[in-house]
Amino acid sequence: MSSNAAKTSADRLARLLNLVPYLLARPGIEIVEAAADLGVSERQLREDLELLWVCGLPGYGPGDLIDMSFDGDRVTITYDAGIDRPLRLTPDEATALVVALRMLAETPGVADRDAIHRALEKIEAAAGEIDAPVAVRLPGNDDRLSDLRAALERGRALRLSYYSAARDVSSERVVDPMRLLSVSGRSYLEAWCRSAGAVRMFRVDRIDALTELDEAAAAPAEAQTGDVSEGVFQPDPAAPTITLRVGRGSRWITEYYPCSSVVEVSPEEWLVSLRVNDMDWARRLVLGLGPQVVVVAPAELADAVRDSAAQALAAYA
């Protein structure tokens, strides 16, 4: 829709919303007089009145739609479908808006938080029927997220103690924060990692500790924020590929991890290929999936899984 068309539609909607209370206050008014008062042509007003015939309440049957009567060139509203009353939110509607606004206020990367809080205050003040306050928190949204947001606003570097699930280790590193974002309900810090010499994504709930440094954040010119439209973590095209024979109970991995290919071998088994940046992570993935998964390739991954399973069994001997 063009901007002109959108403006015309918006103008007409505003005119229609004003038209009903205007006519209610002036039963039997002549159409030509009403058109002059409303600043539209007589033809436009008649078109608006024709549109009002099909406007009303859900159900859209007799008794639901706005109704009018005409006496020559005079018009009277006989049923207003409630448009004469100011809009009031039900407790459920107000609660839904409060939750949505608080969720938006907690979402990393939102620029104009003041506008959100002003709208929230107005709705909460108007919705006196809500008995209890509504608390909304995103995963990882505690004091840590507030500290990260403050460091970003001040442009400071950070020292992180971070747990890497891929390598199952915790490490200390200094980073230059670039942005906070929320993807699939999780909060992330995207930053230049000085240890790796590259941009890295850190899950906020896996940051065990952080310290704001006195020095300014100084990400190099080549540091660019990534495209997260397809998910936070995308496999490196140069990373090795693993192939797994997956049973029915473990097919969920095809929805959780980016896969290169998924082939249905039988109704009970799929052949799944995916790229991995860390073979040790792949070993732990396969072990965690249990007997529902068999490693097809590469051979070294199958050997690593077999050795780990043997060591685990030996501990029970």
Side-chain angles (χ1 to χ4, degrees):
M1 179 183 293
S2 68
S3 59
N4 288 338
K7 185 176 186 302
T8 301
S9 298
D11 290 343
R12 190 176 194 190
L13 175 60
R15 192 167 63 247
L16 289 172
L17 291 174
N18 289 323
L19 181 57
V20 175
Y22 170 86
L23 295 176
L24 283 171
R26 300 164 179 81
I29 189 172
E30 290 187 355
I31 292 178
V32 64
E33 181 183 348
D37 286 349
L38 296 170
V40 297
S41 67
E42 184 178 344
R43 176 182 177 182
Q44 180 63 67
L45 180 57
R46 290 185 182 277
E47 290 178 356
D48 289 344
L49 292 173
E50 289 175 2
L51 182 58
L52 283 178
W53 283 110
V54 293
C55 298
L57 301 172
Y60 308 110
D64 299 319
L65 301 178
I66 293 172
D67 200 5
M68 293 168 283
S69 66
F70 290 89
D71 182 9
D73 286 334
R74 297 177 178 273
V75 60
T76 300
I77 296 286
T78 56
Y79 178 64
D80 56 42
I83 291 182
D84 65 317
R85 298 190 301 270
L87 175 64
R88 295 187 62 85
L89 298 174
T90 67
D92 287 346
E93 291 170 339
T95 301
L97 281 175
V98 167
V99 170
L101 285 170
R102 290 192 177 178
M103 182 71 76
L104 185 61
E106 289 286 331
T107 300
V110 174
D112 195 354
R113 296 181 187 278
D114 290 340
I116 297 172
H117 287 298
R118 288 196 300 271
L120 187 57
E121 289 172 1
K122 291 177 182 178
I123 293 175
E124 288 179 328
E129 298 89 349
I130 299 179
D131 296 327
V134 179
V136 176
R137 290 291 182 271
L138 290 176
N141 274 27
D142 51 13
D143 293 340
R144 186 181 305 115
L145 187 54
S146 299
D147 291 342
L148 289 170
R149 187 179 294 122
L152 262 172
E153 292 173 353
R154 287 191 285 265
R156 299 295 185 85
L158 294 171
R159 177 176 288 107
L160 304 182
S161 176
Y162 185 73
Y163 169 71
S164 173
R167 293 183 289 117
D168 194 24
V169 295
S170 293
S171 61
E172 299 283 334
R173 59 187 81 196
V174 175
V175 302
D176 300 295
M178 298 167 62
R179 64 171 174 169
L180 280 167
L181 64 159
S182 179
V183 181
S184 300
R186 297 191 182 278
S187 300
Y188 295 87
L189 170 69
E190 190 170 16
W192 176 264
C193 177
R194 298 183 185 180
S195 301
V199 175
R200 291 289 185 266
M201 198 79 74
F202 302 96
R203 245 177 68 172
V204 172
D205 59 349
R206 290 179 180 167
I207 298 176
D208 296 324
L210 65 91
T211 303
E212 184 176 320
L213 304 180
D214 291 333
E215 59 183 290
E222 66 266 24
Q224 300 293 324
T225 56
D227 179 8
V228 296
S229 59
E230 299 297 327
V232 173
F233 300 105
Q234 294 299 314
D236 184 346
T241 298
I242 66 171
T243 302
L244 310 175
R245 190 178 296 272
V246 178
R248 184 183 293 274
S250 295
R251 292 179 184 174
W252 60 267
I253 66 171
T254 61
E255 300 176 1
Y256 195 82
Y257 300 106
C259 297
S260 303
S261 69
V262 178
V263 178
E264 183 177 346
V265 178
S266 71
E268 297 299 322
E269 289 186 330
W270 289 358
L271 204 61
V272 177
S273 297
L274 61 157
R275 295 187 181 276
V276 297
N277 296 322
D278 191 312
M279 278 295 174
D280 191 52
W281 175 87
R283 175 186 63 84
R284 288 184 284 110
L285 171 68
V286 174
L287 287 169
L289 293 172
Q292 287 280 323
V293 171
V294 175
V295 177
V296 177
E300 56 266 30
L301 176 58
D303 292 340
V305 170
R306 188 181 301 108
D307 292 344
S308 296
Q311 291 173 15
L313 289 172
Y316 290 94

